[in-house]
Amino acid sequence: MSAVFEQIFQVGFLAAIIRIATPLAFATLGEMFSERAGVLNLGIEGIMLLSAMAGFTAASLSGSLWLGVLMAVLVGALMGALHALFTVALGLSQHVCGIGVTLFCSGLAYFLYRLIFGQQSVPPSIDGFKTVPIPLLSDIPILGPAVFNQFTLVYLAIFAIPLAAFVLYRTPWGLSVRMVGENPRAADSAGVSVIATRFQAVILGGALMGLAGAFLTMAQFNAFTFGVVSGRGWVAIALVVFGRWDPWRSAGAALLFAFVDALQLRMQASGLGHIPYEAFLMLPFIFTIVAMAFMSRNAVAPSALLKPFRREER
Amino acid sequence: MFRLQARTSTPAWFNLTLPLVAIAATLILCSGLIAIAGAGVIEAYGVMLSASLGDSYAITETLVRAAPMIFTGLAVAIAFRAKFWNIGAEGQLLAGAVASCFVGAIPMPGYLAMLLMALVGAAAGALVALVPATLRVKFKVDDVVSSLLLNSVIYYALMALIEGPWKDTFSGYPISPPIEDSANFPVLIEGTRLHLGVVVALIAAPLCWFLIARTTLGFRIRVTGENPEAARYGGINVQRVLLSTALLSGALAGLAGVGEVGGVHFQVMSDISPGYGYSGIVVAMLARLNPLGVVPAAIFLAAVMTGAEAMSRATGVPAFLSDVIQGTALLAMLVALLFTAYRIRRVGAQP
């Protein structure tokens, strides 16, 4: 038991949890904003992939990592707008449109990547972000090096959680988002534009998904591979449910998932006999499904989630 | 000003026209990517067409590719009819492939082996589909999310199998041992890969149509999907219908995997499905969830896939164009479907 305890409180392990949680936190917050406004975005998996590719390409061609991040955020926002066009403006099925956006974005990411970089035996890589220690805070034992000696994007994610909570609960725009997600008819009567607010929320969500993609190819892996997202988008959708559509709880859910994922990576590395590492890769997904079974019964989704709004229809 | 106005009825000719309009729009939109890649649009599409449907051999190749998508397309069409959002056809296909590969490796008379492969593969797919359906019925877990997550679980399970106990110790390749020669599905036309499974897929479509349109279960599936409240009021056990739909849908997706093992690859490897499960969603939507429409829709996507490879060799345009076409076709079809529910009316001058 104490051996397990020691493992968990190793600096490297804690740092790994934070790093795994970062893209999930961005993606989960992005999906949460979209769903709070009443729009399920199943395009998340593809949006993350396309943003990851766009960011990597921009960084690799320009030599500027921050330009890459900007590109990823722009592409994410643009694809969010595409999803909003279909689901909010045209009121089409959010389930099927989301799958369509994911298929479209993934296909486009593969296509453009192959067009720009050709077929290479070793995938091209970039010199990704370096960790930036925060003075004083990084000297705190254990917690310091794990949390305060990280990539700038990690700090951004930590900062994004209270910011998201503030925007959602304490600003007029956040109130509009919650209104159009709960009762669009009432929001409309109160003079809130349901269509505009939903568009804004889905676009903001797409931008956050773009940040998640940027982190994957510019901080975590420093290269783009076809499996770079590998289900993280789907996991984020589950984490939103698990986090009951709340920024703090969703971020907590991301940390919990990251813990299971980091544990699984440790088990791979410890070389548990002859078990192939893919067997461990299943664990975080099984954990998420089981967790959803426990959480979903009492979960209360935004009332207008999945419901398109057309003003003239009563 | 233009406005959408609700339609009271849909003209019958829409059923055929809408997918064709969606496909035409898709090909026009995607021609931009061909141009960006520096190839001639007419030339590229020409190569795609001739390589997929240009001669009898090409047609058999396209049919071989269409078979798994007919099965996954049927699986999705039936599930969506009941509004059971089964996005897990990919995982169900892989489960069917793995299960049938286990059975096919056991020495026994050929026809018995094929029959057992189909039964066990269908059962494996059905069991996998039962998970999201049960989670939805018992725990209110969103079926979309659970079936998507399950795809990853099944994929990694397959990878663990072929990297672990199944790994080829001689070559070191991550592939399963081959099934028995006698269990290989018979080839119907000498010199092609057109196997028995393709015919089974073509027969499955009208059977599914009959089931949906003419049987009690089909009626229950439709009512449950269209109006669960009315279904409940009419004495239909909605939960039971959802579970039956899941079993049926999963079994069909599982058969897609059986066909790939028995008729095409004769073993299991990591890329046994290039996303046939997800393509099934595109197929089902193009077919407007009608099992009979699944066949031409699957043949269209198969032609795009087969043609894209030839186009890539001839013009250098990445073959991933076929993935973009699939996604665009799905979105274009959804937009086209708007015209079944609404018509565009000019509003303005008149009060």
Side-chain angles (χ1 to χ4, degrees):
Chain A
M1 197 60 211
S2 69
V4 175
F5 206 68
E6 263 170 39
Q7 279 254 301
I8 289 172
F9 285 97
Q10 268 180 6
V11 172
F13 187 70
L14 280 177
I17 295 177
I18 301 286
R19 263 203 300 279
I20 296 169
T22 298
L24 285 170
F26 282 132
T28 306
L29 289 176
E31 183 69 31
M32 186 213 66
F33 268 112
S34 186
E35 291 191 22
R36 277 312 276 259
V39 182
L40 171 74
N41 191 350
L42 286 178
I44 184 169
E45 180 85 6
I47 294 176
M48 282 171 73
L49 190 73
L50 186 62
S51 308
M53 196 284 301
F56 174 81
T57 306
S60 147
L61 297 182
S62 73
S64 160
L65 290 168
W66 285 108
L67 199 72
V69 173
L70 183 71
M71 189 65 170
V73 169
L74 285 177
V75 167
L78 188 69
M79 290 303 124
L82 183 75
H83 185 63
L85 175 71
F86 290 119
T87 54
V88 179
L90 298 177
L92 300 170
S93 155
Q94 294 180 7
H95 281 136
V96 191
C97 281
I99 296 294
V101 169
T102 281
L103 288 177
F104 172 76
C105 288
S106 316
L108 198 61
Y110 300 153
F111 180 88
L112 293 175
Y113 179 78
R114 183 54 58 79
L115 195 63
I116 295 164
F117 293 98
Q119 200 155 12
Q120 303 184 15
S121 51
V122 181
S125 60
I126 51 169
D127 219 2
F129 281 108
K130 300 278 178 291
T131 56
V132 183
I134 294 180
L136 296 178
L137 287 176
S138 57
D139 296 332
I140 303 171
I142 301 174
L143 209 61
V147 181
F148 298 109
N149 185 14
Q150 287 282 11
F151 307 111
T152 315
L153 285 174
V154 172
Y155 304 137
L156 194 63
I158 296 173
F159 183 65
I161 300 158
L163 185 67
F166 178 79
V167 169
L168 190 65
Y169 296 125
R170 302 257 184 257
T171 65
W173 185 74
L175 179 64
S176 303
V177 168
R178 285 180 288 138
M179 275 175 86
V180 302
E182 287 296 337
N183 192 341
R185 195 67 61 199
D188 187 51
S189 306
V192 175
S193 168
V194 178
I195 303 291
T197 309
R198 285 189 171 171
F199 252 93
Q200 290 154 5
V202 179
I203 290 172
L204 172 67
L208 284 164
M209 293 164 196
L211 269 179
F215 185 85
L216 291 175
T217 46
M218 282 181 274
Q220 200 163 350
F221 300 116
N222 300 335
F224 176 82
T225 55
F226 290 173
V228 76
V229 178
S230 60
R232 283 181 181 80
W234 309 136
V235 167
I237 294 175
L239 293 180
V240 174
V241 180
F242 196 67
R244 298 188 180 177
W245 292 270
D246 172 78
W248 290 106
R249 286 170 199 248
S250 296
L255 266 181
L256 187 63
F257 180 90
F259 169 73
V260 177
D261 204 19
L263 203 64
Q264 167 275 118
L265 284 169
R266 269 293 150 99
M267 285 157 79
Q268 282 183 31
S270 70
L272 273 170
H274 50 281
I275 304 172
Y277 72 92
E278 286 87 353
F280 298 109
L281 286 173
M282 299 195 301
L283 296 177
F285 291 97
I286 296 175
F287 168 77
T288 311
I289 296 173
V290 173
M292 281 187 74
F294 279 104
M295 290 297 289
S296 291
R297 213 195 273 264
N298 302 317
V300 183
S303 323
L305 188 64
L306 299 175
K307 296 192 184 89
F309 177 77
R310 288 195 188 90
R311 202 170 193 178
E312 61 274 20
E313 280 171 18
R314 293 268 146 180
Chain B
M1 254 313 258
F2 292 93
R3 278 193 87 134
L4 293 178
Q5 191 184 55
R7 252 182 210 283
T8 41
S9 65
T10 320
W13 53 270
F14 266 43
N15 291 336
L16 226 84
T17 326
L18 284 179
L20 292 179
V21 170
I23 287 169
T26 301
L27 294 181
I28 292 168
L29 284 171
C30 290
S31 64
L33 289 177
I34 298 176
I36 290 172
V41 173
I42 308 280
E43 186 206 353
Y45 281 140
V47 174
M48 273 177 91
L49 188 66
S50 65
S52 57
L53 300 166
D55 56 76
S56 52
Y57 179 75
I59 291 172
T60 63
E61 279 296 293
T62 298
L63 284 174
V64 168
R65 237 185 221 266
M69 288 189 280
I70 292 175
F71 277 123
T72 56
L74 291 171
V76 174
I78 289 179
F80 280 20
R81 272 294 178 92
K83 291 222 167 66
F84 164 53
W85 299 106
N86 181 14
I87 320 287
E90 184 74 11
Q92 291 141 26
L93 180 157
L94 296 178
V98 167
S100 65
C101 192
F102 267 113
V103 176
I106 303 167
M108 65 179 108
Y111 281 96
L112 183 65
M114 288 175 219
L115 191 67
L116 277 180
M117 280 170 74
L119 286 176
V120 174
L127 272 179
V128 172
L130 203 55
V131 176
T134 312
L135 286 174
R136 170 169 156 184
V137 167
K138 297 274 180 231
F139 300 97
K140 291 189 181 167
V141 175
D142 186 55
D143 36 1
V144 176
V145 183
S146 59
S147 60
L148 278 169
L149 291 170
L150 212 53
N151 284 345
S152 300
V153 175
I154 306 284
Y155 175 74
Y156 288 128
L158 180 153
M159 289 303 292
L161 260 178
I162 59 180
E163 289 282 3
W166 263 357
K167 190 166 189 157
D168 191 334
T169 44
F170 180 66
S171 70
Y173 284 125
I175 45 174
S176 77
I179 58 172
E180 291 282 311
D181 284 347
S182 59
N184 292 1
F185 292 179
V187 168
L188 304 176
I189 302 173
E190 190 99 7
T192 71
R193 298 199 295 169
L194 196 74
H195 58 88
L196 185 65
V198 180
V199 178
V200 177
L202 290 171
I203 296 171
L207 286 180
C208 286
W209 173 83
F210 183 81
L211 183 124
I212 286 291
R214 295 278 184 273
T215 65
T216 322
L217 177 64
F219 173 73
R220 287 182 178 150
I221 288 176
R222 281 181 288 137
V223 176
T224 300
E226 276 155 31
N227 194 338
E229 288 310 312
R232 221 165 270 135
Y233 190 72
I236 292 175
N237 185 338
V238 170
Q239 302 200 333
R240 200 135 137 212
V241 173
L242 284 174
L243 294 176
S244 321
T245 310
L247 286 174
L248 194 62
S249 173
L252 285 162
L255 285 176
V258 174
E260 290 309 281
V261 169
V264 181
H265 300 293
F266 315 114
Q267 58 192 174
V268 170
M269 64 284 259
S270 66
D271 56 352
I272 189 158
S273 163
Y276 287 140
Y278 300 104
S279 305
I281 301 168
V282 185
V283 168
M285 290 312 290
L286 283 175
R288 297 195 60 195
L289 307 188
N290 181 334
L292 292 179
V294 160
V295 174
I299 290 175
F300 164 69
L301 280 199
V304 168
M305 286 182 178
T306 319
E309 283 159 16
M311 177 206 65
S312 181
R313 283 191 296 273
T315 65
V317 178
F320 293 113
L321 185 71
S322 70
D323 297 76
V324 187
I325 290 179
Q326 285 194 39
T328 313
L330 178 54
L331 293 171
M333 186 61 194
L334 283 167
V335 175
L337 282 174
L338 264 185
F339 294 103
T340 61
Y342 295 91
R343 60 171 79 199
I344 296 175
R345 267 296 152 92
R346 242 190 132 126
V347 289
Q350 68 270 42

